[in-house]
Amino acid sequence: VLHDQGRFEEARLHYQNGLSAYLETGDRRGIAWSFANLGREAEVLGDYAGAREMYREGTAISRDLGDLRAVAWSEGLLGFVCWALGEYNDAYRLFGESQALFREVEDGRGEAWTFDLMGNVRVAQGEDREAEILYLRAHELLTLEGLNVQNKAWHFYHLGTLSFLREHWKQARERFSAGLHYFEVCRDAMGQALTFIQLGEIACREGNFGQSRDFLVRAMKISLESRLLPLLVDGLIVIARLLRAQGDERQAVSYLLVALKHPTCRQETKDRIVAFSLELQSRFSKEEVEGALQWARTSPIEEVVAAWLASEEKGKPSRKKKARQKTVKKRRTSRKNPPKKQKARSK
């Protein structure tokens, strides 16, 4: 519950207390389970080295106990860490080993989970065709098991990711929008935030800056409320792209540095930051760069995003105000251009 509420430090403390209790009673399955949960808390806080160590400990115990399903789960979690660190070959291998174990214990949903993760690795490597094959294999397995709302949501999201990678913006927007519907139905905060970020970037690339801003506001509100720290990083990059498109490269660079310095910033995200920075045309002095770096080091990402949201809400006129402005403008136009006298209609 604490994890789902974004209270990761508190959750870690409770899992640590649980581990101590299991160690006292000698419950090895409980110990392995605690290591997996402690790894999750470390991972979400950006402590990838600590997460890897916890997952390895849990995997070793589960393997010794002969609990193949637990080993499959732990190896999948280890693959997550490798994926985040950009160790894509190791991640793909671990996901493959996990998938084979899930198949051995006849766990179709677990097997589908690993195929999706293998697809994510191929997306990070830019191999969209192989990623598509893996995503479709996962979908086929889940169809046999019985699709639920969340399964449908992630399937559309993954298809949208492929379209995005291929720069098929219209198709990507349609697929992400379909996925968003299902994420909203099952109240999946992470899925909603991720999708709004993707839709925000598509709108920005298409020049729909107002729509992009609206999507990003919704994404960042959800991410802040749920403390989805990696998504705050991803969202800041798209906000930086929007600022750059609107001519504010100085602020864009500052946001990129905040994202880059955050401990949860994954290698795939770092690669995107580097690629985006090469698009910037402004040249900054050494003092300006150092100032931006210092600001990035001392500015918690939550405060940076909250300040951006506050500035956007302050700068956005209300609908009533917009309507009044439109009415006044219409009246002024009508005064300048009085209607012409109509000619009498011929009978």
Side-chain angles (χ1 to χ4, degrees):
V1 174
L2 291 171
H3 177 91
D4 292 338
Q5 292 175 349
R7 296 156 65 183
F8 307 123
E9 293 289 357
E10 293 177 66
R12 182 156 61 177
L13 178 61
H14 280 276
Y15 285 135
Q16 187 65 54
N17 291 336
L19 175 61
S20 298
Y22 285 129
L23 286 168
E24 287 182 11
T25 60
D27 185 341
R28 299 189 71 200
R29 288 185 187 278
I31 293 169
W33 179 78
S34 296
F35 275 130
N37 285 319
L38 284 167
R40 287 178 67 210
E41 303 312 318
E43 184 180 344
V44 78
L45 292 168
D47 181 10
Y48 294 122
R52 195 201 302 261
E53 187 61 30
M54 293 295 174
Y55 292 151
R56 282 176 172 169
E57 292 286 347
T59 303
I61 294 171
S62 296
R63 183 173 283 114
D64 191 45
L65 291 170
D67 189 341
L68 296 184
R69 181 177 277 102
V71 174
W73 172 248
S74 295
E75 288 201 337
L77 296 176
L78 272 171
F80 258 114
V81 173
C82 292
W83 168 72
L85 294 173
E87 300 168 2
Y88 297 131
N89 291 335
D90 286 339
Y92 195 84
R93 174 182 57 78
L94 285 164
F95 291 145
E97 291 174 3
S98 176
Q99 178 265 321
L101 288 172
F102 277 126
R103 174 177 288 183
E104 188 173 341
V105 298
E106 299 181 348
D107 186 335
R109 292 192 177 278
E111 196 177 351
W113 174 65
T114 55
F115 277 132
D116 274 337
L117 297 178
M118 293 164 78
N120 292 346
V121 173
R122 291 306 188 225
V123 166
Q125 294 175 313
E127 299 178 15
D128 60 301
R129 294 194 178 280
E130 188 171 349
E132 185 171 22
I133 292 170
L134 291 162
Y135 287 148
L136 291 176
R137 289 178 73 180
H139 187 65
E140 288 170 4
L141 280 170
L142 290 172
T143 300
L144 291 173
E145 294 286 327
L147 289 171
N148 58 37
V149 174
Q150 198 168 43
N151 297 151
K152 295 175 183 178
W154 283 110
H155 179 61
F156 277 114
Y157 181 87
H158 289 140
L159 293 180
T161 301
L162 293 173
S163 299
F164 187 97
L165 187 61
R166 295 163 179 164
E167 298 187 2
H168 298 167
W169 306 128
K170 183 177 182 295
Q171 185 183 65
R173 184 171 60 254
E174 291 171 351
R175 287 174 164 180
F176 282 131
S177 297
L180 178 61
H181 164 72
Y182 289 113
F183 281 131
E184 291 175 335
V185 169
C186 63
R187 299 181 180 180
D188 187 325
M190 183 175 72
Q192 290 180 57
L194 275 169
T195 306
F196 280 130
I197 290 171
Q198 296 281 25
L199 289 170
E201 182 159 0
I202 291 170
C204 181
R205 288 176 180 271
E206 292 182 323
N208 299 322
F209 301 142
Q211 187 181 64
S212 175
R213 172 220 168 268
D214 291 342
F215 282 135
L216 291 170
V217 165
R218 296 178 73 178
M220 295 297 93
K221 282 183 176 179
I222 294 171
S223 299
L224 273 180
E225 290 169 2
S226 302
R227 289 210 68 209
L228 301 170
L229 302 182
L231 302 196
L232 293 179
V233 173
D234 292 342
L236 267 187
I237 297 171
V238 184
I239 291 171
R241 179 174 290 280
L242 178 60
L243 287 168
R244 186 250 180 178
Q246 295 176 316
D248 190 354
E249 290 201 348
R250 188 183 306 277
Q251 189 64 54
V253 168
S254 297
Y255 283 171
L256 288 177
L257 291 173
V258 171
L260 187 63
K261 291 291 181 182
H262 198 268
T264 65
C265 187
R266 301 180 294 267
Q267 186 59 50
E268 184 179 8
T269 306
K270 291 177 181 178
D271 293 341
R272 290 186 63 210
I273 292 174
V274 171
F276 177 39
S277 65
L278 296 176
E279 299 176 18
L280 300 177
Q281 298 177 351
S282 300
R283 296 292 178 266
F284 302 103
S285 67
K286 181 180 179 182
E287 291 75 17
E288 288 175 320
V289 173
E290 288 177 351
L293 281 170
Q294 180 61 27
W295 181 75
R297 292 191 193 100
T298 58
S299 301
I301 193 167
E302 297 97 326
E303 293 182 10
V304 171
V305 171
W308 178 78
L309 283 171
S311 67
E312 289 301 310
E313 290 299 322
K314 185 178 179 181
K316 182 181 179 182
S318 65
R319 290 184 179 178
K320 289 183 178 180
K321 187 176 179 181
K322 279 185 173 180
R324 287 198 300 270
Q325 290 173 343
K326 190 174 182 180
T327 302
V328 171
K329 185 177 180 181
K330 189 175 181 180
R331 287 174 180 170
R332 287 175 180 171
T333 303
S334 63
R335 288 172 186 171
K336 290 180 181 178
N337 303 301
K340 296 180 180 179
K341 292 181 179 180
Q342 293 183 350
K343 293 181 181 180
R345 292 182 181 176
S346 58
K347 294 183 180 179

